[in-house]
Amino acid sequence: MTTEVGSETEVRKEPEKAEEQPAAPESEPAATNQTDEAKAAEQSANDHPAPATDSAEAPAEAKEKQEEAQPADNATPQEGEDTPASPPASEKKGISRFLPPWLKKQKSQSQVGPKESQAAAKEEAGVASVKEEDGEKGEQAEAEQTSSPTAAQPQVEEEKINGEPKPEQKEEVKLEEKEEENHSTGSADTQPAKEEKAAEESQEKSAAEEENKEAEEGGEEKKDEEESPKPEGGHSFIKSPLKLTKKVKMVMCHVTMLDGSQFPCEVEKRAKGQYLFFKVYEALNLLEKDYFGLSYKDNADQTCWLDPTKEIKRQIRNATWQFAFNVKFYPPDPSQLTEDITRYLLCLQLRQDIVSGRLPCSFVTHSLLGSYALQAELGDHDSGEHRLDYISDFQFAPSQTKEMEEKVVELHKTHRGMTPAQADAQFLENAKKLSMYGVDLHHAKDSEGVDIMLGVCANGLLIYKDRLRINRFAWPKILKISYKRSNFYIKIRPGETEQFESSVGFKLPNHRAAKRVWKVCVENHTFFRLMTPEAPIKAKFLTLGSKFRYSGRTQAQTRQASTLIDRPAPYFERTSSKRISRSLDGAPMINVTEAQESAPTSGENGREPGLELSSDSKSGRLRVQGENIYVRHSNLMLEDLDKTQEDVLKHQASISELKRSFMEATPEPRPSQWEKRLTASPATSLRLQAQGRCPPSRTQEPLPDLTVDTVAKSADDKQKSGEAAWQAAEVEIEETVVVEEIRVAPKGSVTITTPEVITHVAVESEVEKPKDKVMEEQKRPVSVSSDSEEEEEEEEAGEYHPQVTVSASVDQIKEEPEEEGEEEEEQQVNEEPVAEPLPEPVVEVKAQPVPAVVEENSATEPQLAPVAEESPEDILVTPDEAPNGHAESPEGHPGPVALEEEEEEEEEEPRVNGDASHSETERLPQVICCSEPPVVKTEMVTISDTFAAQKTEIATKEVPIVHTETKTITYEAAQLDGSGDGEPGVLMTAQTITSESLCTTTTTHITKTLKGGLSETRIEKRIVITGDSDIDHDQALAQAIKEAKEQHPDMSVTRVVVHKETELAEEGED
Amino acid sequence: MASVLPYGCFTHAVVRGIPETFGKVDNEETTTDLAKAQRQFGVLTGALRQKVGLQLIEIPADPELPESWRIEDVAVIQGDTALITRPFKQQRRREAEAVRRVMSELNLTVVELGAEEGGSVGATLEGSDVLFTGREFFVGISSHTNHRGAEVLADTFRDFTVSTVPVCEGTRLKNICSMGGPDTIIISDSDGAKKTLRMMEQLTDHHYEVLTVPEGAAANCVYVRGPSKVDYLLHPPTEECPDSVPAFQKLTGYTLLPTACSEASKLGGHLSSFCLLINRKPNF
């Protein structure tokens, strides 16, 4: 990357220089000098592994810059004043552009050290020249920036946020910038007054934007550089970076932890959920985090899950920034959790569930669980120390009686010698058997209007009527899950004696509730039933499935990842669940230390700059730090305690109360993570909106305009498709059914060779119509952008069954599971921004965008980078309106994770979790979606998948829209370690397996060779995908790759050869 | 959950003697043989006490309660909680009094269906419509048990899933099925029973072995895992269900105890109608 970047940057410089120079001459000579210096600085910066921004920008910018340069040039001639402004902008392309000129000027002045930052250098150069020439002009530039704040902000944020600017975003940003520049030029004309206005004013105006930027920056390493200029430029900014961050609109989030303590965390106003997640997980020192989530109460007081991939602000809307850390997926067998800390948290959640009545228990169970809780918290019963009433400070049940407390004490005495961890384990062993364990209830009505409850759990969908289970639909029985308006539907697989599948519909209180249930179903199904999150593609292709994907790890993945946890059990302190007030009363004699203080510390940690935190946190996670003290206050039950005594009196009526509480407690809408990931970037959502809800249908209609009509078609298509994996997705407002028809067969042969690391995928697909791709793209945005919560989302349900098979893969040898690699990579990524922003980050970024499963390939070669960048650009640009997306996307999370996510968001969300698999699945689909130019983009995607693979040969032909072409694309992973390619070895075994499915024929050739004592298994898969024009080749390819990865998680894809034979069949159709 | 044990671990059995008014219900002159019924009752209790080894508690018969021998209907017991039910027939509700006393004496937590619902609007529940499998409850919605009654049961035994199933054949759920082991359900071969079984299979999270018997009368057995860890199965004798006995013999390791209940059958009763099984040893 670095090398490439450098070249690119150089290219930029040249054009920039050209621009600058013209401007310079006009301006003062000093300016020229400065500009030169600035240039030099920039160059140096470029040469050096400049922060990710530079590198990232470089590739994308190179093209863009050239493009930009042109417009800029044009602008310059138009207006003398403008010209100066424009050049700086072009120069600045990076963050610097967005920065107000003052900052730049100051920097330029202070500039002396070019190394400070590329951005600074750029800024300096551009700005300096401009400003020097005309202070006003500089102001103008600022004004311009301000004028197009949204675009600028997003860009800046993105860049800043992500230590590693993603190529896509950057590209987008650049594009935007270009636009901005243009606008700016125009605006400059109109804005003379503004120019006159003090730069300060402009700064102030843009302050908000800048603040955001700054905040993001502050989070990142880049911040420093950027910040420095800002402070200089902005009077107020001069303050310490902290202040800078403050300026960025920061919002104080309060997260209620499972122990009842409050975890304050300051986040940028536009931060995404992921950032907060990260902070919380970090504070908890929690590795097995996939079972957990953050919830909030929406305006309707419904509990929703915070989507990590979406902006917090957009999700909570007008609600308070108050969140709760909760268990989202209750592991059916807690004993399989790896770490005690995870079990401890689960215990806390269950205790909360029990006390709230959400998890009904019998008297005996209340007592037993309470006794284990006591044992875990207090240790052995001490008759001397524990007076009889010591227990009354704890709450074990919604309504607690003296009798129960006595029983608890009695049982507590029997647990002598049991360690807290053992007590937790026993607690869970008993709790997991409860009938409502892990069941998420939603109020609904059946087809006859009878009030029922829908219970979503690990096993499927349960139907309750007044606490009675009246029906149950195990996941395997469900073919499709969908919602339309306020209706929620499931399609049931026909039983042995039945010939036809049946559909069951439920009426939810409103559309949101329906969507919530749907999401929860999709999430739970994916989490518990699938090996890996299902890629929409797959569903479209071979099986029925919903487009939505759960981007997080599945249980299988998280379990596998857990096996890799190699740290000493983290120390954590069990905080007292006793009521503080009571303790004050004197009742308390518990040894438990309440670490209230600790809470603040955690909060502090959370507040720490994202960069540092991220790096630290990751390292911390991986390697246990003995010092990490987990302090929590468990006030969970405390609140209830007061009630408790009163309740005791009421004990008699406990049953009815319990019942009531049960009913009340049950409804917990949980927003599915799907949206998060799908929606991922706000930008996408915007796009979607812009597109007008176009259903992401595979339907032939290429244009986004399809909306309603499309729906109908889609429906037809479904029928056609038969099983119709597709479910119509509804747009929030109205029912938009997105029917994804399965396009008929693209032919593709995918050859995957996996000697541990090598995979060849040769896909021969015949792309009849480029339009299809367009369609896909459109679709993608829809799926991707769920954005504000509930818009489009396709409801396709899916039949995920097929993937279940994948389980075998898990069994396979886990040498270095991808996940590990991924995690490491992630960490690296995070770290990188901090330490070394330069090329590496870029590379990663590039890699990320790519669906490539292999995140492991830390070393992405520079070559790839450009490609990747291009692809993202294409994606961004092509899909609808990039600007919108950009604007939204810009939100930067200081945390590295956030950064990555943001970057990835559009295309790939998976990394957040850190699971390679996630990324793969998500990425693939996304990528595909993103690529407008069918062939090219697809290819791009593929490459990315390969990980940093080097693209050996890319014969990409952009098929205009209708062409018949034969393309052969070969991608090879960079990491090929003696990938089976050339090195001869001793052939141990060889076998060929052929299988066929709907439209694919897969030939698997497995070769085991022995090389120098190392056995290498190479799996070569040739997948021939035959399909009509309808088939989405890209998806097919992505799917094939994904499947290959899934099947061989321990192997990496080293080579992908795509051979496409595209026939222009009927163009008119699409 | 504290109380979860494999089905069949019982220590006590509560029975109630055959009253003189046996069979004289609803003015129906059924051709029941009181003496024979009492004999069969004696055989049953003897088997429970001497063969299986349960502690037997026999509540004296009450002539004013002709159906009091069907003690199963009056209470549902799981763990140390006894739910006193509310039989469909008004005249049977007095049967609960004696049973309630016994439950209290056994230190069981007694929950009253009627009291709970405060005259619960028509909530009715009979124990013979309740199949407890050790993991969950199935409540047959029948002419004797309604949804409300099932709700109370669900509220009482909240650790467990309580599923409702239609009783498509026979008058009681237990006429068509019963437990034949910790994970075994014995069920009649009739269409209605199959329908109910399918529903149960759909509703459950667990897997049960199903032992299908050709005769409806054979579907109700009493399974007890005795203190000596021996599996006992009380089932109707060959005379009553000649075709089903071979099916029982497929149960390996079981001690089969053919127990006649032909007289009770005439009144819609079955083997399990006679007894309430209780486990008072949590750590059995």
Side-chain angles (χ1 to χ4, degrees):
Chain A
M1 292 297 297
T2 56
T3 58
E4 291 180 357
V5 173
S7 63
E8 293 176 354
T9 55
E10 292 176 356
V11 173
R12 299 178 187 171
K13 293 176 181 177
E14 293 177 357
E16 291 176 355
K17 292 178 179 177
E19 295 175 355
E20 292 177 353
Q21 292 176 352
E26 294 176 357
S27 64
E28 299 173 357
T32 57
N33 295 340
Q34 292 178 349
T35 56
D36 294 348
E37 293 176 353
K39 291 177 182 177
E42 291 178 355
Q43 292 175 352
S44 64
N46 293 339
D47 295 348
H48 297 295
T53 55
D54 295 345
S55 62
E57 292 173 355
E61 288 178 357
K63 296 178 180 178
E64 294 177 354
K65 287 180 178 177
Q66 294 175 352
E67 296 174 355
E68 292 175 354
Q70 295 175 353
D73 295 347
N74 296 339
T76 52
Q78 294 174 352
E79 298 175 357
E81 294 177 353
D82 295 350
T83 53
S86 63
S90 62
E91 293 176 355
K92 294 176 181 177
K93 295 177 184 177
I95 299 168
S96 62
R97 293 180 182 176
F98 300 97
L99 298 178
W102 346 18
L103 298 179
K104 295 176 182 177
K105 289 180 180 179
Q106 295 175 350
K107 287 183 178 178
S108 63
Q109 295 173 350
S110 62
Q111 246 183 348
V112 182
K115 293 179 179 178
E116 290 176 354
S117 64
Q118 295 176 348
K122 292 179 180 179
E123 293 176 355
E124 292 175 354
V127 174
S129 62
V130 174
K131 291 181 178 177
E132 291 177 356
E133 293 175 359
D134 299 340
E136 293 178 354
K137 290 179 181 178
E139 294 175 354
Q140 291 176 352
E142 295 176 353
E144 293 176 354
Q145 294 174 351
T146 56
S147 64
S148 60
T150 56
Q153 291 177 348
Q155 295 174 350
V156 174
E157 291 176 353
E158 292 176 353
E159 295 176 354
K160 294 178 179 177
I161 293 168
N162 299 336
E164 327 148 355
K166 295 180 180 178
E168 296 176 354
Q169 295 176 347
K170 291 179 178 179
E171 293 175 354
E172 293 176 353
V173 173
K174 295 176 180 178
L175 295 177
E176 294 176 355
E177 291 176 353
K178 295 176 182 178
E179 295 175 356
E180 293 176 357
E181 292 176 355
N182 296 338
H183 297 297
S184 65
T185 55
S187 65
D189 296 344
T190 58
Q191 296 176 347
K194 293 180 180 177
E195 293 177 356
E196 292 177 357
K197 294 178 181 178
E200 295 176 353
E201 293 177 355
S202 63
Q203 292 175 352
E204 292 176 355
K205 293 178 180 177
S206 62
E209 299 174 354
E210 293 177 353
E211 289 177 355
N212 294 338
K213 296 177 182 179
E214 292 176 355
E216 295 174 354
E217 294 176 356
E220 297 175 354
E221 294 174 335
K222 295 178 181 178
K223 295 176 181 178
D224 297 345
E225 298 173 355
E226 295 174 356
E227 290 175 356
S228 62
K230 291 180 179 178
E232 295 176 357
H235 305 292
S236 62
F237 296 91
I238 296 170
K239 299 175 183 177
S240 65
L242 295 176
K243 291 182 178 179
L244 293 178
T245 56
K246 290 180 179 177
K247 291 180 179 179
V248 180
K249 291 183 179 176
M250 299 298 285
V251 177
M252 185 60 75
C253 293
H254 294 278
V255 180
T256 304
M257 307 300 266
L258 287 171
D259 61 2
S261 64
Q262 288 290 321
F263 173 72
C265 181
E266 198 175 33
V267 303
E268 296 172 25
K269 195 169 184 180
R270 305 185 67 176
K272 292 181 179 172
Q274 181 64 33
Y275 179 77
L276 190 56
F277 273 101
F278 178 79
K279 289 299 185 190
V280 173
Y281 297 145
E282 184 185 50
L284 291 173
N285 196 17
L286 175 65
L287 285 187
E288 294 175 289
K289 62 185 190 307
D290 301 288
Y291 299 97
F292 301 87
L294 291 175
S295 64
Y296 63 93
K297 295 276 192 181
D298 66 10
N299 295 332
D301 202 36
Q302 294 293 311
T303 302
C304 303
W305 290 109
L306 187 67
D307 187 334
T309 63
K310 300 198 305 190
E311 287 183 25
I312 296 171
K313 181 183 171 186
R314 288 174 180 270
Q315 299 182 60
I316 63 172
R317 299 192 173 176
N318 296 330
T320 59
W321 291 69
Q322 178 70 46
F323 305 91
F325 178 72
N326 290 116
V327 173
K328 184 171 187 181
F329 302 110
Y330 290 75
D333 186 359
S335 65
Q336 290 194 29
L337 295 175
T338 299
E339 296 198 302
D340 288 339
I341 188 174
T342 314
R343 271 187 287 272
Y344 170 66
L345 293 173
L346 179 58
C347 282
L348 291 179
Q349 175 69 65
L350 289 169
R351 287 166 68 176
Q352 195 174 320
D353 292 344
I354 290 168
V355 170
S356 68
R358 207 158 40 226
L359 181 60
C361 300
S362 65
F363 173 87
V364 173
T365 303
H366 274 138
S367 303
L368 183 69
L369 295 179
S371 67
Y372 286 124
L374 268 192
Q375 180 70 22
E377 192 166 317
L378 303 182
D380 291 347
H381 176 80
D382 184 338
S383 56
E385 181 180 4
H386 297 156
R387 296 178 302 185
L388 227 187
D389 59 346
Y390 76 104
I391 196 176
S392 56
D393 291 326
F394 296 85
Q395 185 161 12
F396 308 104
S399 59
Q400 184 165 321
T401 62
K402 207 69 186 172
E403 181 185 8
M404 181 180 291
E405 292 178 358
E406 291 172 355
K407 183 72 175 176
V408 170
V409 173
E410 175 187 338
L411 291 169
H412 181 201
K413 293 175 182 175
T414 67
H415 302 325
R416 183 168 297 281
M418 196 177 280
T419 67
Q422 289 172 329
D424 281 346
Q426 285 300 314
F427 180 97
L428 295 176
E429 282 306 297
N430 285 282
K432 74 176 186 185
K433 296 174 185 171
L434 294 170
S435 111
M436 299 305 289
Y437 173 84
V439 178
D440 181 24
L441 290 175
H442 301 259
H443 284 287
K445 292 180 187 295
D446 65 10
S447 57
E448 297 176 352
V450 176
D451 285 325
I452 59 168
M453 301 287 280
L454 298 178
V456 183
C457 67
N459 294 326
L461 181 65
L462 307 172
I463 315 299
Y464 293 91
K465 181 179 185 300
D466 299 328
R467 274 286 277 133
L468 297 171
R469 185 185 289 185
I470 59 175
N471 214 336
R472 172 178 176 273
F473 302 99
W475 292 127
K477 289 267 303 181
I478 298 177
L479 289 175
K480 181 172 141 185
I481 309 168
S482 61
Y483 73 96
K484 188 171 185 179
R485 293 177 180 167
S486 61
N487 295 313
F488 173 74
Y489 303 96
I490 55 175
K491 181 176 287 185
I492 308 302
R493 186 186 298 280
E496 296 176 355
T497 61
E498 303 161 5
Q499 291 183 339
F500 304 101
E501 54 196 25
S502 58
S503 287
V504 182
F506 303 96
K507 178 80 172 174
L508 278 291
N510 52 53
H511 172 78
R512 291 200 172 204
K515 185 177 183 180
R516 217 156 31 217
V517 172
W518 179 81
K519 283 183 177 178
V520 172
C521 283
V522 173
E523 288 178 325
N524 274 271
H525 174 265
T526 304
F527 185 82
F528 289 110
R529 290 284 301 174
L530 301 188
M531 293 305 299
T532 61
E534 187 172 4
I537 298 171
K538 199 173 191 176
K540 293 178 180 179
F541 222 156
L542 305 179
T543 60
L544 318 177
S546 69
K547 291 181 179 179
F548 294 90
R549 350 155 206 183
Y550 162 79
S551 56
R553 289 180 182 172
T554 62
Q555 184 179 41
Q557 288 174 326
T558 196
R559 280 181 179 172
Q560 188 172 358
S562 296
T563 61
L564 303 177
I565 294 175
D566 183 17
R567 67 174 184 181
Y571 172 78
F572 59 92
E573 194 159 330
R574 295 159 194 271
T575 53
S576 171
S577 60
K578 290 170 65 176
R579 229 182 155 186
I580 295 174
S581 63
R582 295 218 171 181
S583 61
L584 295 177
D585 295 346
M589 38 220 52
I590 298 172
N591 302 334
V592 179
T593 58
E594 296 178 355
Q596 295 177 348
E597 295 177 356
S598 64
T601 46
S602 62
E604 293 177 356
N605 293 339
R607 295 176 185 176
E608 294 176 357
L611 295 180
E612 294 177 356
L613 293 177
S614 64
S615 61
D616 294 349
S617 65
K618 290 180 179 179
S619 62
R621 289 183 181 178
L622 295 180
R623 301 148 197 177
V624 178
Q625 297 175 352
E627 294 180 355
N628 293 345
I629 296 176
Y630 220 34
V631 180
R632 302 167 192 151
H633 299 282
S634 50
N635 299 333
L636 295 181
M637 319 185 122
L638 298 182
E639 295 176 357
D640 296 347
L641 291 179
D642 293 347
K643 297 177 181 177
T644 310
Q645 292 178 345
E646 296 176 355
D647 293 350
V648 174
L649 299 177
K650 300 176 183 177
H651 176 64
Q652 304 294 342
S654 61
I655 294 175
S656 59
E657 290 179 357
L658 292 176
K659 188 174 182 178
R660 216 184 309 150
S661 62
F662 172 81
M663 296 303 291
E664 295 175 357
T666 49
E668 291 181 0
R670 298 178 182 177
S672 63
Q673 296 176 348
W674 300 96
E675 291 181 359
K676 300 175 182 177
R677 303 186 179 180
L678 294 179
T679 50
S681 63
T684 50
S685 62
L686 294 178
R687 295 178 183 175
L688 294 178
Q689 295 174 350
Q691 292 178 348
R693 307 175 185 174
C694 307
S697 58
R698 292 180 179 177
T699 20
Q700 299 170 346
E701 307 150 335
L703 300 179
D705 299 348
L706 300 180
T707 61
V708 176
D709 298 347
T710 312
V711 174
K713 291 179 180 179
S714 64
D716 296 343
D717 295 349
K718 290 179 179 178
Q719 293 174 350
K720 292 178 182 178
S721 61
E723 294 177 355
W726 307 102
Q727 299 171 345
E730 296 176 353
V731 176
E732 293 179 354
I733 298 172
E734 294 178 356
E735 8 162 337
T736 310
V737 176
V738 176
V739 177
E740 298 175 353
E741 295 175 353
I742 299 172
R743 293 182 182 175
V744 184
K747 292 179 180 178
S749 61
V750 177
T751 306
I752 300 172
T753 315
T754 34
E756 301 173 350
V757 183
I758 300 169
T759 305
H760 290 288
V761 178
V763 177
E764 293 180 355
S765 58
E766 295 179 355
V767 178
E768 294 178 355
K769 301 175 181 179
K771 290 180 179 179
D772 294 353
K773 294 177 179 179
V774 175
M775 295 297 293
E776 295 175 354
E777 293 175 354
Q778 295 172 348
K779 295 176 181 178
R780 295 173 184 176
V782 174
S783 62
V784 174
S785 60
S786 39
D787 166 5
S788 33
E789 336 181 327
E790 308 92 7
E791 313 164 136
E792 72 339 354
E793 303 209 338
E794 321 133 15
E795 339 161 346
E796 302 168 275
E799 300 176 354
Y800 311 90
H801 311 298
Q803 292 183 348
V804 174
T805 318
V806 181
S807 62
S809 63
V810 175
D811 298 345
Q812 296 176 348
I813 300 169
K814 309 166 182 177
E815 295 177 356
E816 289 180 355
E818 295 176 356
E819 294 177 353
E820 288 182 356
E822 294 175 353
E823 293 177 354
E824 292 177 355
E825 290 179 357
E826 292 177 353
Q827 295 175 349
Q828 292 177 353
V829 172
N830 296 337
E831 293 175 355
E832 291 177 357
V834 176
E836 299 173 356
L838 297 180
E840 293 178 353
V842 174
V843 173
E844 291 176 354
V845 172
K846 294 176 182 179
Q848 293 176 351
V850 179
V853 177
V854 183
E855 295 174 355
E856 296 177 353
N857 307 337
S858 59
T860 343
E861 295 179 359
Q863 296 175 351
L864 296 179
V867 174
E869 291 176 354
E870 292 176 357
S871 63
E873 290 178 355
D874 294 345
I875 296 168
L876 296 175
V877 176
T878 53
D880 307 349
E881 314 118 7
N884 294 342
H886 296 293
E888 293 177 354
S889 61
E891 301 171 353
H893 302 281
V897 175
L899 297 176
E900 294 177 355
E901 292 178 355
E902 292 176 354
E903 294 176 353
E904 294 175 356
E905 287 176 354
E906 294 176 354
E907 292 179 357
E908 302 171 354
E909 300 164 354
R911 285 194 175 179
V912 172
N913 294 342
D915 292 357
S917 60
H918 301 286
S919 61
E920 294 178 358
T921 55
E922 294 175 355
R923 292 177 182 178
L924 293 176
Q926 294 177 350
V927 171
I928 295 169
C929 297
C930 296
S931 61
E932 293 176 356
V935 176
V936 175
K937 292 178 179 178
T938 305
E939 294 173 355
M940 297 299 292
V941 172
T942 306
I943 295 169
S944 60
D945 288 354
T946 338
F947 296 37
Q950 303 169 347
K951 42 177 179 180
T952 312
E953 303 171 355
I954 299 174
T956 316
K957 296 177 181 179
E958 296 179 354
V959 178
I961 290 175
V962 176
H963 288 292
T964 301
E965 294 179 357
T966 300
K967 301 175 181 179
T968 301
I969 303 167
T970 304
Y971 304 105
E972 290 187 1
Q975 291 181 344
L976 307 180
D977 297 344
S979 54
D981 298 348
E983 302 172 356
V986 178
L987 178 63
M988 301 299 289
T989 61
Q991 58 178 330
T992 302
I993 303 169
T994 303
S995 64
E996 293 184 3
S997 64
L998 293 180
C999 33
T1000 62
T1001 300
T1002 304
T1003 303
T1004 306
H1005 190 67
I1006 303 173
T1007 312
K1008 284 189 178 180
T1009 55
L1010 197 58
K1011 294 179 183 179
L1014 297 177
S1015 67
E1016 174 180 89
T1017 302
R1018 164 176 281 207
I1019 300 175
E1020 195 167 320
K1021 280 197 178 181
R1022 172 170 287 259
I1023 302 171
V1024 178
I1025 303 169
T1026 307
D1028 294 355
S1029 58
D1030 294 348
I1031 293 179
D1032 183 345
H1033 330 282
D1034 298 346
Q1035 291 181 351
L1037 174 59
Q1039 182 70 26
I1041 296 171
K1042 176 194 165 192
E1043 288 181 357
K1045 292 175 181 176
E1046 290 177 352
Q1047 292 176 359
H1048 308 286
D1050 51 335
M1051 305 179 92
S1052 61
V1053 177
T1054 53
R1055 194 172 164 199
V1056 179
V1057 179
V1058 180
H1059 180 70
K1060 282 191 181 179
E1061 291 183 3
T1062 307
E1063 294 179 359
L1064 306 180
E1066 319 130 359
E1067 300 170 356
E1069 293 177 355
D1070 294 350
Chain B
M1 292 168 291
S3 50
V4 172
L5 287 173
Y7 178 84
C9 299
F10 300 112
T11 59
H12 293 68
V14 179
V15 299
R16 192 161 195 179
I18 307 291
E20 301 169 357
T21 51
F22 178 79
K24 295 176 181 177
V25 182
D26 298 339
N27 299 325
E28 294 179 12
E29 283 301 325
T30 49
T31 57
T32 53
D33 183 336
L34 174 61
K36 188 176 181 182
Q38 290 176 331
R39 252 199 327 277
Q40 290 176 343
F41 175 78
V43 171
L44 171 65
T45 56
L48 289 174
R49 179 167 47 208
Q50 298 176 354
K51 302 265 182 68
V52 179
L54 299 180
Q55 292 193 41
L56 199 68
I57 300 168
E58 181 170 347
I59 300 173
D62 185 343
E64 295 186 1
L65 300 172
E67 292 187 85
S68 59
W69 56 272
R70 305 169 79 147
I71 194 172
E72 179 187 32
D73 285 337
V74 183
V76 177
I77 301 167
Q78 192 286 318
D80 59 0
T81 301
L83 172 65
I84 305 300
T85 66
R86 192 160 180 266
F88 175 71
K89 291 181 182 176
Q90 185 71 36
Q91 57 270 31
R92 290 197 63 192
R93 294 182 183 167
R94 280 180 48 223
E95 295 177 11
E97 296 173 3
V99 174
R100 188 180 296 118
R101 263 199 312 278
V102 172
M103 297 296 119
S104 297
E105 290 175 359
L106 288 170
N107 284 324
L108 292 175
T109 302
V110 177
V111 178
E112 301 282 345
L113 186 153
E116 208 39 61
E117 289 302 301
S120 55
V121 188
T124 59
L125 178 69
E126 295 191 5
S128 54
D129 277 320
V130 178
L131 178 69
F132 178 65
T133 69
R135 303 173 186 272
E136 61 190 318
F137 286 93
F138 291 105
V139 179
I141 302 302
S142 68
S143 56
H144 295 78
T145 298
N146 60 22
H147 212 86
R148 295 284 293 159
E151 285 177 36
V152 176
L153 182 120
D155 266 337
T156 304
F157 303 104
R158 47 186 68 216
D159 287 354
F160 297 91
T161 298
V162 178
S163 304
T164 57
V165 297
V167 178
C168 306
E169 187 173 295
T171 54
R172 313 285 175 83
L173 178 62
K174 280 203 174 176
N175 282 341
I176 56 173
C177 64
S178 62
M179 293 305 291
D183 294 306
T184 303
I185 294 175
I186 301 172
I187 191 154
S188 163
D189 196 24
S190 65
D191 290 340
K194 286 179 178 175
K195 191 174 176 182
T196 300
L197 177 64
R198 273 200 302 276
M199 196 62 199
M200 289 195 289
E201 287 176 333
Q202 174 163 347
L203 283 165
T204 186
D205 296 323
H206 309 286
H207 176 74
Y208 297 103
E209 299 297 328
V210 176
L211 178 64
T212 305
V213 293
E215 288 130 333
N220 185 281
C221 302
V222 173
Y223 167 82
V224 177
R225 184 174 175 81
S228 55
K229 307 297 183 188
V230 178
D231 295 317
Y232 294 98
L233 187 70
L234 282 68
H235 64 87
T238 307
E239 304 84 62
E240 297 181 26
C241 49
D243 298 333
S244 299
V245 172
F248 296 133
Q249 291 171 344
K250 293 177 185 173
L251 296 169
T252 57
Y254 277 56
T255 300
L256 299 179
L257 301 173
T259 308
C261 69
S262 59
E263 298 310 304
S265 299
K266 295 174 184 176
L267 299 174
H270 37 248
L271 280 176
S272 66
S273 300
F274 288 101
C275 54
L276 289 170
L277 299 173
I278 302 167
N279 178 14
R280 291 309 293 150
K281 287 185 179 177
N283 298 324
F284 192 94

